[in-house]
């Protein structure tokens, strides 16, 4: 049976609050009492929970993070940035996903009610923005990573999607390409609209195919466009998975990349360096977005001021073999 803080308090003949104060180094406790509590902790083998450590100050020193799924291609980069920052500040991290839909959301809101964490970082699961807004209005500190153009009323970290789309178009145009096929993600995502608008501002086309952020979308878009007879000399894919699918379909059709068709992706996932040829892509600073969001949340928990306007980090075009410079 697990040893609890109540067991330690009973054995040391003190209150649970006193035990928690001993666990909070720096809290004022009589030295003899503190020594007795530590002896009991050692003898019982008690492992304190974050809640016990934070009991005396009404805080868990734990940050929650809510994500749609861990299978999203760039989620690992965001999580690593968050974990590095949170752990360096002496906080724990609780991870929640909405992989099971409404059941996951109910479980998550139960944890909020139980005060399992002090603040929340979010990569927004679908159809949860109203719930998150309500939690924020009730006092839960929230910072959103990748706002997808929603501009919530709580703080967020975003990237320059429109500028990224424009940089992809400018690069293709500068290398002599003029007939693009654009393959997007879901149009209800603000980031998709921004990337498309930025691209079309520089290199207009009516050859735009919408789909999901998957390799299957890239394959199908290229296959259907080739079958239609509409010519194109470059592909702008709205993420690297779409681009990888496009590369495969072009190769299967006997077309050379980049000689016949140049391809540009978006994200700069680790896989982008290992496609054939290596993928030119627009890099999103996903790890830094995770770090920045965590720093914002921790600053707010420490009593600092969090900016009302989104923190926007720049994208960067990374040129590789699928669309080399002219």
């Amino acid at each position: 049976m697990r040893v609890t803080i109540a067991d330690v308090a009973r054995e040391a003949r003190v209150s649970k609050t006193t035990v928690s104060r001993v666990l909070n180094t720096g809290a004022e406790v009589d030295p003899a009492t503190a020594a007795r509590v530590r002896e009991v902790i050692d003898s019982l083998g008690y492992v304190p929970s974050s809640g016990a450590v934070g009991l005396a100050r009404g805080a868990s020193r734990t940050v929650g993070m809510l994500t749609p799924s861990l299978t999203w291609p760039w989620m690992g980069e965001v999580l690593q940035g968050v974990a590095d920052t949170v752990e360096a500040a002496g906080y724990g991290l609780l991870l929640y996903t909405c992989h099971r839909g409404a059941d996951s959301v109910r479980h998550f809101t139960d944890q909020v009610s139980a005060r399992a964490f002090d603040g929340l970082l979010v990569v927004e699961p679908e159809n949860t923005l109203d719930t998150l807004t309500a939690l924020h209005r009730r006092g839960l500190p929230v910072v959103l990573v990748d706002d997808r153009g929603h501009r919530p009323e709580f703080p967020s970290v975003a990237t320059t999607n429109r500028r990224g789309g424009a940089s992809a178009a400018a690069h293709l145009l500068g290398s002599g390409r003029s007939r693009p096929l654009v393959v997007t993600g879901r149009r209800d995502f603000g980031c998709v609209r921004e990337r498309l608008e930025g691209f079309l501002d520089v290199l207009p086309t009516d050859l735009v195919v919408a789909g999901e952020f998957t390799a299957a979308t890239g394959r199908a878009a290229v296959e259907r466009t080739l079958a239609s007879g509409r010519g194109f000399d470059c592909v702008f894919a709205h993420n690297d998975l779409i681009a990888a699918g496009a590369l495969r379909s072009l190769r299967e059709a006997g077309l050379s990349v980049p000689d016949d068709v140049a391809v540009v992706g978006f994200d700069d996932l680790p896989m982008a360096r290992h496609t054939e040829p290596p993928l030119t892509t627009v890099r999103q600073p996903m790890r830094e977005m995770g770090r920045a969001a965590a720093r914002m949340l921790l600053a707010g928990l420490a009593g600092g001021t969090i900016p009302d306007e989104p923190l926007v980090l720049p994208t960067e075009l990374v040129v590789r073999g699928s669309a080399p410079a002219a």
Side-chain angles (χ1 to χ4, degrees):
M1 183 180 296
R2 186 182 178 207
V3 178
T4 68
I5 193 171
D7 298 325
V8 174
R10 184 169 51 252
E11 185 71 18
R13 301 185 304 282
V14 296
S15 69
K16 288 191 292 184
T17 299
T18 297
V19 176
S20 184
R21 285 175 176 158
V22 171
L23 293 169
N24 284 282
T25 56
E28 293 185 5
V29 179
D30 173 76
T33 301
R36 185 169 74 252
V37 169
R38 291 192 185 97
E39 287 176 2
V40 171
I41 288 172
D42 291 339
S43 66
L44 295 180
Y46 173 64
V47 178
S49 67
S50 60
V53 172
L55 179 62
R57 55 176 170 253
S60 67
R61 295 214 38 105
T62 301
V63 167
M65 183 162 187
L66 178 66
T67 72
S69 169
L70 297 182
T71 61
W72 280 27
W74 44 256
M75 192 62 71
E77 286 294 300
V78 174
L79 284 172
Q80 193 61 62
V82 167
D84 289 346
T85 306
V86 166
E87 291 171 6
Y91 275 70
L93 181 65
L94 287 176
L95 180 62
Y96 303 90
T97 73
C98 280
H99 194 64
R100 295 183 296 114
D103 288 342
S104 296
V105 174
R106 279 192 294 271
H107 172 70
F108 164 72
T109 53
D110 287 344
Q111 297 301 299
V112 176
S113 299
R115 301 176 62 87
F117 47 84
D118 302 330
L120 180 67
L121 297 164
V122 183
V123 177
E124 182 197 338
E126 193 170 4
N127 300 321
T128 60
L129 189 58
D130 288 346
T131 298
L132 296 169
T133 300
L135 293 173
H136 173 69
R137 289 173 178 171
R138 293 206 299 266
L140 178 68
V142 180
V143 176
L144 185 66
V145 183
D146 184 26
D147 67 13
R148 292 183 231 154
H150 287 170
R151 301 296 185 263
E153 64 181 54
F154 43 82
S156 64
V157 177
T159 192
T160 51
N161 284 294
R162 186 170 188 134
R163 189 183 306 168
S167 69
H171 176 72
L172 290 168
L173 190 60
S175 61
R177 313 289 173 157
S178 59
R179 294 174 293 132
L181 164 64
V182 181
V183 189
T184 78
R186 288 171 42 180
R187 294 288 187 91
D188 57 332
F189 282 6
C191 62
V192 168
R193 296 191 296 271
E194 290 172 357
R195 291 172 196 178
L196 181 59
E197 289 164 0
F199 188 91
L200 296 180
D201 284 345
V202 177
L203 187 53
T205 182
D206 62 354
L207 193 51
V208 179
V209 178
E212 301 289 337
F213 286 120
T214 63
T217 285
R219 292 191 65 184
V222 168
E223 288 171 0
R224 287 198 303 269
T225 305
L226 290 173
S228 75
R230 297 194 64 179
F232 56 95
D233 60 7
C234 57
V235 175
F236 173 46
H238 272 211
N239 81 344
D240 293 344
L241 290 180
I242 295 174
L247 286 172
R248 182 170 177 178
S249 284
L250 291 167
R251 184 167 56 249
E252 290 173 350
L255 295 170
S256 172
V257 177
D259 295 338
D260 297 320
V261 180
V263 177
V264 176
F266 208 106
D267 283 341
D268 196 26
L269 301 176
M271 59 160 283
R273 294 184 288 276
H274 305 293
T275 57
E276 183 54 45
L279 185 63
T280 294
T281 187
V282 179
R283 176 181 294 156
Q284 288 199 88
M286 301 311 305
R287 187 173 295 204
E288 182 53 35
M289 288 171 72
R291 290 191 187 109
R295 286 195 295 266
M296 289 171 66
L297 182 62
L298 292 171
L301 294 178
T305 301
I306 300 179
D308 293 330
E309 292 298 313
L311 173 64
V312 181
L313 302 179
T315 53
E316 175 189 3
L317 183 73
V318 180
V319 178
R320 300 191 181 99
S322 71

